[in-house]
Amino acid sequence: MDPKQSNPSGPAAEIRAPEQMPDPPASGLGDYSFPRSRLRQFMLDPTKTPLLLVACGSFSPITYLHLRMFEMAADYAKYNSDFEVIGGYLSPVSDAYRKAGLASAEHRVAMTRIATEQSSRWLDVDPWEAVQKEYQPTAIVLDHFEHEINVVQRGVATRDGERKPVRIVLLAGADLIQTMSTPGVWSQEDLNHILGKYGVFIVERTGTDIDDALATLTQWRSNIWVIQQLIQNDVSSTKIRLFLKREMSVRYLVPAPVINYIEEHGLYEDDGRSSSIHEKGNDGSGAGRNDAGSSTSI
């Protein structure tokens, strides 16, 4: 099962609409429409496979590591694969996730938008998951992107006028692979759906033994790409919230406009949680949903 909830929940060459895709409800975030303004419309090299990176997480708040993960993944794809990155999306989890220290979806979407709009030309925020009244498993979120990119948009165009299906891949931290390799956390159905149909780019994290985790996921190994962190960064949203609660500086760990937003709205002044400063964050910097197997450890 998708560890974020109690109910269990391939390449994009197979283009089909996902079944039972829930409609987005009206919310304080406004009427939903899929953001496409930063999505590349044409491939530069038609011999490569177009790639879309998706990071699911709490992003409470977003940190520089969340943004760096996309840059590391883009470099890896460019120099170590036959992929061509056409876009990257952050997908904040909905309020139905009900996690300690979770700011409202409206605030988290706003902070991720501020961070991407002012620091990147290719990253975007999709609020679809955030506006859902019920929690959406990671597999369904990936199905949503598959539908929007490969069904609605019909993939991406090449310079000669052809259209190619886009490979949708989850971007996550090493914590996610550890949960996926732990018996009983994820169902076989979820693992087949996420790792078999889509795949995952994993960013290494200090203190995480990826080799042991991968040893139990051998049947999906060809769909798991491990990215080495050449400059170690262990910041997490959990630690950021603790710093803020203690009135410590988080400057240069979080984008300045996001810090301003947090201060303006009085966020994280007391998240009601007793935390250790050495606690590993499972709210985004692990980049997935790491509570009981969910892909939201960012």
Side-chain angles (χ1 to χ4, degrees), residues 43-231:
M43 292 194 66
L44 301 177
D45 185 348
T47 67
K48 293 192 173 184
T49 300
L51 174 70
L52 184 80
L53 297 166
V54 177
C56 299
S58 301
F59 304 110
S60 192
I62 187 170
T63 73
Y64 274 125
L65 179 54
H66 296 139
L67 302 174
R68 274 296 303 162
M69 288 175 66
F70 280 94
E71 296 296 330
M72 286 185 279
D75 281 344
Y76 181 90
K78 180 178 181 179
Y79 297 110
N80 299 282
S81 77
D82 291 323
F83 289 124
E84 180 179 315
V85 177
I86 65 161
Y89 286 91
L90 295 94
S91 179
V93 70
S94 76
D95 291 335
Y97 190 31
R98 302 186 185 282
K99 177 182 178 179
L102 194 68
S104 72
E106 189 168 358
H107 285 313
R108 289 182 288 107
V109 169
M111 288 187 286
T112 52
R113 280 176 170 165
I114 291 171
T116 54
E117 287 173 359
Q118 299 194 24
S119 68
S120 175
R121 294 182 178 180
W122 65 283
L123 296 182
D124 212 336
V125 179
D126 181 14
W128 180 85
E129 182 182 1
V131 302
Q132 301 302 315
K133 292 181 180 178
E134 297 181 356
Y135 161 76
Q136 300 300 313
T138 302
I140 297 300
V141 176
L142 294 175
D143 282 348
H144 158 71
F145 281 96
E146 169 79 8
H147 175 77
E148 291 290 347
I149 300 298
N150 286 323
V151 178
V152 176
Q153 184 174 296
R154 297 186 300 112
V156 65
T158 61
R159 292 297 181 183
D160 57 11
E162 296 183 359
R163 300 197 72 84
K164 297 187 70 172
V166 177
R167 180 71 180 269
I168 313 295
V169 173
L170 181 66
L171 174 62
D175 294 358
L176 178 66
I177 281 294
Q178 282 197 322
T179 67
M180 285 182 163
S181 65
T182 303
V185 176
W186 294 78
S187 70
Q188 191 75 8
E189 179 184 1
D190 279 337
L191 292 176
N192 280 329
H193 196 107
I194 296 170
L195 298 180
K197 180 178 180 180
Y198 297 110
V200 60
F201 272 36
I202 293 292
V203 177
E204 286 185 332
R205 183 170 182 166
T206 304
T208 301
D209 193 335
I210 291 184
D211 291 337
D212 284 350
L214 292 176
T216 65
L217 301 171
T218 53
Q219 71 181 97
W220 302 288
R221 186 63 183 88
S222 62
N223 275 355
I224 301 173
W225 295 268
V226 178
I227 304 168
Q228 183 180 5
Q229 243 193 114
L230 298 179
I231 299 177

